């Protein structure tokens, strides 16, 4: 049931349902534009897929994107969403984007470099930083390995394209860049800044120590403000590109995953969210920065004031699901994929998949070999398409469980109650959003594997919804992000564990975990 709207006495608009907000989301696999009203009802949504280019100068790992093509794609998606909703005006706009994606601008605002989160050109520079300063970097940023972040990419450009560094006037994350495109004022919030490899997640400020270590001038970094801050007004040229009037307030939103937690109303310490899109980070909200002593997990910022997140990222979960879908049922018919997988029993006839998702271990990154294991006695344990598809979904759920176990172990070790006091516990409910939440079967498998209820979001695009909540807060429709999340979020189906399937998965998970460890050893030997 939808929560009741909490009316803000400061609101200038009597009927909050009349408020229209445009949220832009530059994800890993696609650009998205979504229109919502003041209660979080989706009025229209348009998704446009996009692809990256291999950077010839940084082959084979380097990836980049054409910023003009990406911007045009976002604008086209927005135009189509506005046309679908029959709107030519909105009350506010906010943009979110993929973490780790980085853009360098020159003094005229032209893009010198635009790299997505999958740009791994800085493998060697990042490895050097990891070997020389890994412990210190993790203590400041909460993030490893460095090669994923802007800090190492900056070192790569210093080594291979020093003229780019010399010409750079602004270093921005994807969301910051979109905000700047909209209103001419590029600002960041802590959740975006935290994904640069240059931000102190405890002090909530740029780290002078790390800036000096990688020689990034402080003046090229954007101002860091809370999510929900109005950055500026929609500029005339951009308004024309979007089909809107100039002057619409542009509000700073959190990075995509942080906005996703907000979109699911995961705003209290101890709550757990899973934004299962291209990747699938398992995140627990904490009231203070909590660092993994093994440096295997990430510690990052929340959009909520003075809150943090402890994270284990599975990696390419949605990407693996798409690959399996293309392999067995081309045509993006994921409903049919679910129907076929549902005909296989829990445990997938003994098949175990290792396709993409993994147990987070950021301190020791390595390329893992994968595949599918299944009993060869096919006359006794027949394994067909249904079993293989189900095994791929179970693989994601097993990785969720392994990462969640690690998160809760770290959290419990550092937040144990005094002797005689009640132990601190986390919320058993798992909040699920993102593209994979469209799969009812996946949600049920996660519930069965974890032995916990899984609450899906009625709107799968929780990152865009969270950005819209930031916008609604920025223009005064709600007094806080927490109030906006409570009023605008909408729960979907609640999946509770099936006892029979849960029992089956206890053994299946242990087999998967043992095989995973074996593949880690094999991968190290094959390298």
């Amino acid at each position: 049931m939808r929560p009741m709207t909490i009316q803000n006495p400061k609101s200038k608009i009597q009927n909050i349902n009349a408020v229209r907000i445009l949220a832009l989301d530059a994800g890993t696999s696609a650009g998205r534009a979504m229109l919502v009203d003041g209660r979080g009802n989706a009025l229209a949504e348009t998704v446009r897929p996009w692809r990256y280019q291999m950077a010839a100068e940084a082959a084979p790992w380097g990836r980049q994107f054409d910023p003009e093509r990406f911007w045009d794609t976002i604008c086209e998606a927005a135009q189509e969403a506005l046309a679908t909703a029959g709107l030519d005006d909105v009350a506010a706009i906010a943009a979110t984007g993929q973490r780790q994606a980085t853009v360098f601008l020159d003094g005229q605002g032209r893009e010198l470099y635009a790299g997505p989160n999958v740009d791994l050109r800085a493998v060697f520079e990042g490895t050097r930083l990891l070997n020389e300063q890994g412990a210190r970097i993790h203590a400041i940023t909460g993030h490893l390995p460095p090669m994923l972040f802007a800090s190492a990419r900056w070192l790569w450009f210093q080594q291979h394209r020093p003229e780019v560094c010399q010409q750079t006037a602004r270093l921005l994350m994807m969301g910051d860049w979109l905000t700047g495109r909209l209103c001419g004022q590029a600002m960041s919030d802590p959740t975006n800044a935290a994904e640069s490899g240059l931000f102190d997640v405890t002090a909530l400020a740029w780290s002078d120590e790390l800036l000096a270590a990688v020689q990034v001038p402080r003046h090229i970094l954007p101002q860091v403000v809370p999510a929900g801050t109005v950055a500026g007004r929609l500029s005339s040229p951009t308004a024309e590109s979007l089909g809107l009037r100039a002057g619409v307030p542009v509000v700073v939103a959190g990075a995509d995953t942080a906005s996703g937690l907000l979109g699911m109303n995961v705003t209290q310490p101890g709550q757990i969210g899973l934004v299962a899109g291209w990747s699938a980070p398992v995140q627990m909200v904490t009231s203070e920065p909590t660092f993994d002593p093994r440096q295997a997990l990430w510690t990052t910022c929340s959009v909520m004031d003075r809150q943090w997140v402890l994270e284990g990222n599975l990696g390419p979960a949605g990407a693996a699901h798409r690959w399996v879908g293309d392999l067995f049922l081309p045509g993006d018919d994921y409903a049919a994929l679910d129907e076929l997988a549902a005909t296989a029993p829990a445990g997938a006839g003994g098949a175990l998949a290792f396709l993409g998702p993994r147990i987070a271990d950021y301190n020791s990154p390595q390329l893992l070999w994968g595949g599918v294991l299944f009993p060869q006695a096919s006359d006794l344990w027949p394994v067909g398409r249904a079993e293989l598809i189900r095994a791929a979904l179970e693989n994601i759920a097993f990785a969720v469980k392994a990462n969640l176990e690690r998160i809760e172990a770290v959290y419990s070790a550092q937040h144990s109650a005094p002797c005689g006091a009640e132990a601190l516990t986390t919320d058993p409910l798992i909040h699920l959003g993102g593209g994979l939440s469209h799969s009812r079967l996946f949600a049920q498998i996660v519930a069965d594997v974890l032995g916990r209820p899984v609450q899906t979001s009625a709107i799968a695009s929780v990152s865009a919804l969270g950005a819209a909540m930031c916008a609604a807060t920025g223009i005064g429709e709600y007094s806080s992000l927490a109030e906006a999340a409570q009023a605008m979020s909408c729960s979907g189906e609640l999946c509770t564990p099936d006892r029979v399937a849960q029992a089956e998965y206890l053994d299946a998970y242990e087999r998967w975990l043992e095989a995973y460890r074996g593949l880690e050893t094999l991968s190290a030997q094959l390298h």
Side-chain angles (χ1 to χ4, degrees):
M1 179 179 294
R2 178 181 295 281
M4 294 181 62
T5 298
I6 302 174
Q7 297 291 349
N8 179 2
K10 298 180 180 180
S11 174
K12 298 179 181 179
I13 299 177
Q14 296 299 317
N15 182 6
I16 200 168
N17 290 330
V19 176
R20 303 293 187 257
I21 296 169
L22 174 62
L24 306 177
D25 180 6
T28 301
S29 60
R32 184 183 312 273
M34 187 166 73
L35 287 158
V36 302
D37 66 16
R39 285 181 56 111
N41 297 301
L43 307 176
E45 182 177 2
T46 300
V47 181
R48 295 286 181 91
W50 50 34
R51 295 184 179 277
Y52 306 115
Q53 307 159 349
M54 179 179 290
E57 61 192 5
W61 305 110
R63 295 293 184 272
Q64 61 191 18
F65 62 88
D66 182 333
E68 291 304 322
R69 180 175 296 178
F70 266 43
W71 177 248
D72 289 344
T73 299
I74 286 284
C75 289
E76 290 166 5
Q79 291 170 4
E80 184 175 336
L82 287 163
T84 300
L87 298 176
D88 58 7
D89 193 17
V90 294
I93 304 174
T96 185
Q98 53 184 265
R99 301 184 296 173
Q100 296 96 52
T102 311
V103 179
F104 298 169
L105 303 179
D106 66 14
Q108 285 70 50
R110 295 174 301 215
E111 292 82 2
L112 299 169
Y113 158 71
N117 54 4
V118 293
D119 181 15
L120 295 178
R121 70 181 64 212
V123 168
F124 296 110
E125 291 77 11
T127 300
R128 178 169 63 82
L129 284 174
L130 180 63
N131 292 335
E132 295 177 357
Q133 305 180 54
R136 186 61 185 152
I137 290 172
H138 188 268
I140 296 172
T141 70
H143 289 64
L144 289 178
M147 62 277 291
L148 298 177
F149 304 101
S151 53
R153 297 181 196 179
W154 181 263
L155 288 177
W156 185 93
F157 277 98
Q158 284 183 331
Q159 176 68 30
H160 301 279
R161 295 282 305 281
E163 74 280 3
V164 170
C165 295
Q166 294 165 7
Q167 297 171 35
T168 297
R170 276 286 179 267
L171 186 159
L172 305 173
M173 308 310 290
M174 176 71 89
D176 312 340
W177 171 67
L178 289 173
T179 299
R181 275 272 190 161
L182 289 167
C183 68
Q185 297 293 326
M187 294 182 181
S188 192
D189 86 306
T191 68
N192 279 294
E195 303 305 324
S196 66
L198 300 167
F199 192 73
D200 187 325
V201 297
T202 301
L204 300 178
W206 298 112
S207 168
D208 289 330
E209 178 181 338
L210 294 181
L211 294 181
V214 296
Q215 300 177 19
V216 172
R218 189 183 183 94
H219 71 267
I220 72 173
L221 297 169
Q223 178 186 2
V224 179
V225 299
T229 300
V230 176
R233 302 278 173 171
L234 187 64
S235 64
S236 295
T238 303
E240 185 176 350
S241 299
L242 293 172
L244 294 170
R245 63 176 174 86
V248 174
V250 177
V251 182
V252 175
D256 57 0
T257 302
S259 292
L261 291 185
L262 184 67
M264 296 186 292
N265 195 22
V266 179
T267 59
Q268 298 299 319
Q271 287 186 303
I272 298 165
L274 172 62
V275 183
W278 184 90
S279 62
V282 183
Q283 297 186 313
M284 178 191 293
V285 180
T286 63
S287 59
E288 59 187 51
T290 302
F291 294 86
D292 178 7
R294 293 183 52 215
Q295 303 169 12
L297 302 174
W298 279 356
T299 301
T300 191
C301 302
S302 164
V303 293
M304 306 298 294
D305 184 38
R306 307 307 299 179
Q307 288 187 6
W308 288 261
V309 169
L310 188 60
E311 171 183 335
N313 198 320
L314 281 60
H321 187 238
R322 175 174 289 275
W323 181 82
V324 170
D326 290 343
L327 187 65
F328 290 108
L329 289 174
D332 291 343
D333 190 352
Y334 292 104
L337 201 67
D338 264 15
E339 290 177 7
L340 182 56
T343 64
L352 297 173
F354 303 89
L355 302 170
R358 58 186 296 172
I359 304 173
D361 192 356
Y362 300 120
N363 189 35
S364 303
Q366 67 167 319
L367 180 64
L368 292 182
W369 287 69
V372 180
L373 300 175
F374 54 88
Q376 293 190 53
S378 58
D379 56 330
L380 299 178
W381 298 287
V383 174
R385 288 194 305 169
E387 286 76 19
L388 294 179
I389 296 169
R390 187 178 187 107
L393 289 173
E394 292 174 351
N395 171 46
I396 302 173
F398 291 151
V400 169
K401 181 172 183 176
N403 281 280
L404 181 56
E405 287 178 342
R406 179 168 289 178
I407 289 170
E408 293 189 323
V410 170
Y411 180 84
S412 297
Q414 297 183 37
H415 297 83
S416 58
C419 182
E422 184 178 354
L424 296 176
T425 58
T426 59
D427 188 343
L429 186 67
I430 308 299
H431 298 264
L432 173 63
L436 274 172
S437 68
H438 283 298
S439 169
R440 201 277 176 197
L441 177 61
F442 174 68
Q444 186 61 54
I445 289 174
V446 173
D448 295 340
V449 168
L450 297 182
R452 301 188 185 190
V454 171
Q455 178 66 70
T456 64
S457 173
I459 296 177
S461 303
V462 290
S463 294
L465 180 59
M469 293 173 180
C470 292
T473 304
I475 60 174
E477 293 311 312
Y478 297 101
S479 62
S480 67
L481 293 176
E483 187 181 57
Q486 176 67 22
M488 296 175 68
S489 64
C490 183
S491 298
E493 184 175 1
L494 178 66
C495 297
T496 57
D498 176 85
R499 292 185 178 181
V500 175
Q502 184 180 350
E504 176 65 33
Y505 282 132
L506 290 175
D507 290 336
Y509 173 68
E510 292 302 324
R511 291 195 301 271
W512 180 89
L513 201 59
E514 185 175 355
Y516 184 94
R517 298 306 185 195
L519 284 173
E520 283 186 315
T521 301
L522 177 63
S523 297
Q525 294 172 347
L526 291 176
H527 292 163

